[in-house]
Amino acid sequence: VAEPLRVEMHFEMYTSYLNYHSFFAAYVTEGPQVMRRICHYAMSSLLLSHGDVVFSKGESPSHPKMFFVVKGTCEYTGAPGEPILVNEKQCVAEAVLWTRWSHQGTLTAITDVKLAALDAKTFQDISDRFKDTASFDPKLYASDFVAHLNQIEYVNDLSGIKYKGSFE
């Protein structure tokens, strides 16, 4: 398959998962040329079986990734109280994109699971190369995200914010 066609195939395949998240849904609309590269170079799929561990509490990954649950259910432990079920269309570990991160809990597959994984370093490298999308600057969202993390009492790998369409 020709490279341009593979780029387009990855864009179509992964944007359906990225659209679960308000920031990425906006980025697909505002910067499709950037997101085509991100989908092609920074995204991958991961298949898990019951009991497979995605990451563990205290782990500082050498290749950090944000995860999108495409199919199946995972369990997140480490939060106060009962374990939290993470289902289809939910995102995990967004903080790895915006700050140095150690996982605050453990994510384990409790069914057969398909995850889409976004490599943090590749995402940062690609998005940083595109300065012409001045109306949509991921660094502003990153700043809001980190500020939110610093304000909440209990931070975990499920923490996130909603992108509201502007950075004001």
Side-chain angles (χ1 to χ4, degrees), residues 25-61:
Y27 208 174
V28 167
T29 302
E30 298 292 324
Q33 71 284 10
V34 183
M35 290 307 298
R36 274 184 176 74
R37 290 181 184 271
I38 289 169
C39 288
H40 185 63
Y41 293 108
M43 296 293 301
S44 61
S45 294
L46 185 61
L47 299 175
L48 306 170
S49 297
H50 173 78
D52 288 349
V53 175
V54 181
F55 56 76
S56 299
K57 184 175 184 170
E59 178 183 352
S60 296

Side-chain angles (χ1 to χ4, degrees), residues 81-167:
E82 297 297 315
I84 298 169
L85 294 181
V86 183
N87 297 301
E88 294 175 20
K89 300 186 178 182
Q90 288 184 282
C91 307
V92 182
E94 179 184 358
V96 301
L97 300 179
W98 314 119
T99 189
R100 219 177 275 254
W101 187 253
S102 293
H103 290 296
Q104 304 299 300
T106 300
L107 185 68
T108 307
I110 60 171
T111 66
D112 287 342
V113 173
K114 180 178 181 182
L115 298 177
L118 174 58
D119 183 85
K121 173 117 177 64
T122 307
F123 166 77
Q124 292 161 357
D125 291 346
I126 292 169
S127 61
D128 198 45
R129 284 193 301 238
F130 285 84
K131 306 296 185 202
D132 60 328
T133 54
S135 63
F136 191 88
D137 186 354
K139 290 178 182 172
L140 297 174
Y141 175 86
S143 177
D144 289 348
F145 186 92
V146 172
H148 171 72
L149 289 181
N150 289 329
Q151 291 173 356
I152 59 178
E153 182 179 338
Y154 179 76
V155 175
N156 65 39
D157 296 281
L158 306 177
S159 299
I161 63 173
K162 291 271 188 227
Y163 173 70
K164 296 174 181 63
S166 71
F167 295 109

